[in-house]
Amino acid sequence: VQLQASGGGSVQAGGSRRLSCSAAGRLFINYTVAWFRRAPGKEREFVSASKYGVGTTYYADFAKGRFTISRDNDKKMVYLQMNSLQLDDTAVYYCAAASFLHDNYYSVERYYNFWGQGTLVTVSS
């Protein structure tokens, strides 16, 4: 499956941004799709994931209550709605996919074998 992330840009602290991840390929419903991010000078980290099939969602602690992941299997799209953005949310956001990924590994990037190109979100004061 091929992924393309979009929706990045500049936003003021406290504002919102919605990222989109479009997929090309078959059987999108069979893929767990996740968002990761890499902030300047930091390692890439897990943000959120939507499980294949039923779409169970998972969030990093910093994302809970502020970010919402959703997916539209018919359109092969995954979204990340980000609210109450903070300065340290500035990062390149990547979407990634893995087929039938076990629940234990949804936050582990090495288990994702398909990656989008990343989209930059810059939060300013």
Side-chain angles (χ1 to χ4, degrees), residues 87-122:
L87 296 180
D88 57 7
D89 292 318
T90 294
V92 177
Y93 286 74
Y94 301 87
C95 57
S99 64
F100 297 116
L101 185 62
H102 192 281
D103 288 357
N104 288 351
Y105 306 124
Y106 64 83
S107 65
V108 183
E109 65 174 273
R110 70 176 181 269
Y111 287 96
Y112 289 86
N113 45 356
F114 300 99
W115 289 83
Q117 84 287 6
T119 186
L120 174 63
V121 175
T122 303

Side-chain angles (χ1 to χ4, degrees), residues 2-113:
Q2 294 178 314
L3 305 173
Q4 183 169 0
S6 62
S10 297
V11 59
Q12 287 192 319
S16 299
R17 198 82 186 179
R18 188 177 85 154
L19 305 182
S20 300
C21 178
S22 63
R26 298 175 59 200
L27 302 176
F28 178 71
I29 194 171
N30 292 343
Y31 288 81
T32 289
V33 180
W35 288 94
F36 290 81
R37 71 182 187 183
R38 189 194 302 271
K42 295 186 178 181
E43 299 287 320
R44 189 156 56 186
E45 64 179 347
F46 169 76
V47 178
S48 183
S50 173
K51 183 178 177 179
Y52 66 88
V54 297
T56 303
T57 57
Y58 306 96
Y59 296 93
D61 285 343
F62 66 80
K64 291 177 182 176
R66 299 192 299 130
F67 295 2
T68 302
I69 191 170
S70 60
R71 66 190 292 162
D72 185 329
N73 290 322
D74 290 337
K75 295 182 179 178
K76 300 182 182 178
M77 296 289 296
V78 174
Y79 306 97
L80 185 68
Q81 177 67 42
M82 304 186 294
N83 298 327
S84 301
L85 284 164
Q86 303 166 359
L87 296 180
D88 57 7
D89 292 318
T90 294
V92 177
Y93 286 74
Y94 301 87
C95 57
S99 64
F100 297 116
L101 185 62
H102 192 281
D103 288 357
N104 288 351
Y105 306 124
Y106 64 83
S107 65
V108 183
E109 65 174 273
R110 70 176 181 269
Y111 287 96
Y112 289 86
N113 45 356

